[in-house]
Amino acid sequence: MWRGRVRLRERACGVGPRRGTGFDTGRTDADGKGFVSPPPIRRMDTTATVKAVEAVGPDTYALRFRAPEGFAAEPGQFVKLGTEIDGESVARFYTLSSPRVGETFEVTVGINPDEGGDFSAFLSDAEAGTEMTLSGPFGDQHYDGEPRAVVIAGGPGIGPAVAIAERALDEGAEAAVIYRDDDVAHADRIDSLRERGADIRLLDADEPLTDAVAELLTGAEGETTFVYGFADLVADAEAAVDAAGGDADAAKVENFG
């Protein structure tokens, strides 16, 4: 999804201040193996090739790329994708919608056929084999082993929302997703999350967030709120978090503008 401005407290060109090879999160999986937070991720500038394109909602597509050698990123981080159009370099920022990077990684893109520019048109025609420039990952407001993740999302923000929830459940943590939009994207992944025990609330585009946020914020130790969406969603989410007795300033927020 396209990034506009970002919460100023986020250091947009790198990860957080952690150093070393990672730290023990104190949690274990069903086999008793401990989860260790990954080491800091290095940014790279390279190219990536599309492996598959899937429609996941109205005017919403998941682009899956073959991960370049050495590329690593966490759910909630974002990358810059680009190409050359009429002799000029054009690039946009998109947040990962895959819970982890292996042989591939994914971004979810909302494309408005009436208002989109040249790069949107390029993405709408992307197919397996399409190559783009890739820079990143960027951002330190990502999932980092929190014991409970509550993600509030709107529009294409559902991409990182489902990715963070999937990663949290994979690591034995709890997850909740509040998704506000008239058109549901990634419905299959949302259904799967619900079946795995995640708390899911789907709201209409004009529905207040207040009740859902109050219901799903537990105040448990280590619970972290994530917000992904455009400015109106972000403002409503922060107000709802504060109204529920949470701390909006402590939330990990990505404002798409």
Side-chain angles (χ1 to χ4, degrees):
M1 71 274 331
W2 179 78
R3 276 183 68 90
R5 62 182 183 276
V6 179
R7 179 69 63 85
L8 292 179
R9 64 171 175 266
E10 176 173 343
R11 292 175 292 280
C13 293
V15 297
R18 273 189 294 112
R19 295 292 184 269
T21 59
F23 63 90
D24 189 346
T25 64
R27 296 201 317 279
T28 59
D29 61 17
D31 298 321
K33 297 179 180 179
F35 290 113
V36 176
S37 179
I41 295 173
R42 295 184 179 276
R43 190 178 72 185
M44 63 193 308
D45 296 295
T46 183
T47 59
T49 302
V50 174
K51 181 178 180 180
V53 179
E54 178 186 3
V56 295
D59 298 325
T60 307
Y61 302 87
L63 276 65
R64 183 161 292 276
F65 291 84
R66 300 183 190 278
E69 183 177 356
F71 178 74
E74 299 297 329
Q77 290 191 296
F78 56 100
V79 296
K80 183 168 71 171
L81 299 173
T83 191
E84 189 172 285
I85 299 175
D86 295 331
E88 295 187 7
S89 295
V90 182
R92 298 288 185 272
F93 291 96
Y94 298 92
T95 307
L96 269 68
S97 54
S98 44
R100 57 181 47 78
V101 174
E103 295 182 354
T104 64
F105 70 92
E106 179 191 281
V107 299
T108 297
V109 180
I111 298 176
N112 187 319
D114 298 322
E115 299 180 6
D118 290 341
F119 194 71
S120 291
F122 167 75
L123 287 180
S124 68
D125 292 333
E127 58 185 4
T130 299
E131 187 176 84
M132 304 183 202
T133 59
L134 168 70
S135 297
F138 303 94
D140 62 359
Q141 303 292 291
H142 55 79
Y143 182 71
D144 196 24
E146 290 88 350
R148 179 173 170 82
V150 179
V151 193
I152 306 169
I158 190 58
V162 294
I164 288 172
E166 288 168 347
R167 180 65 171 270
L169 294 180
D170 288 346
E171 296 193 356
E174 297 179 1
V177 175
I178 301 168
Y179 179 34
R180 189 173 75 175
D181 202 284
D182 283 336
D183 298 314
V184 176
H186 283 301
D188 291 345
R189 291 172 71 177
I190 292 172
D191 289 342
S192 178
L193 284 168
R194 185 183 283 113
E195 291 173 359
R196 295 178 62 188
D199 292 316
I200 306 293
R201 299 293 183 273
L202 303 181
L203 309 178
D204 292 336
D206 58 354
E207 193 170 347
L209 295 169
T210 311
D211 290 346
V213 171
E215 183 180 358
L216 295 186
L217 279 186
T218 66
E221 183 177 358
E223 179 180 70
T224 300
T225 302
F226 300 79
V227 182
Y228 295 92
F230 293 100
D232 56 346
L233 181 283
V234 170
D236 289 350
E238 292 179 330
V241 169
D242 283 337
D247 182 2
D249 287 335
K252 296 185 175 182
V253 177
E254 187 174 330
N255 187 334
F256 301 160

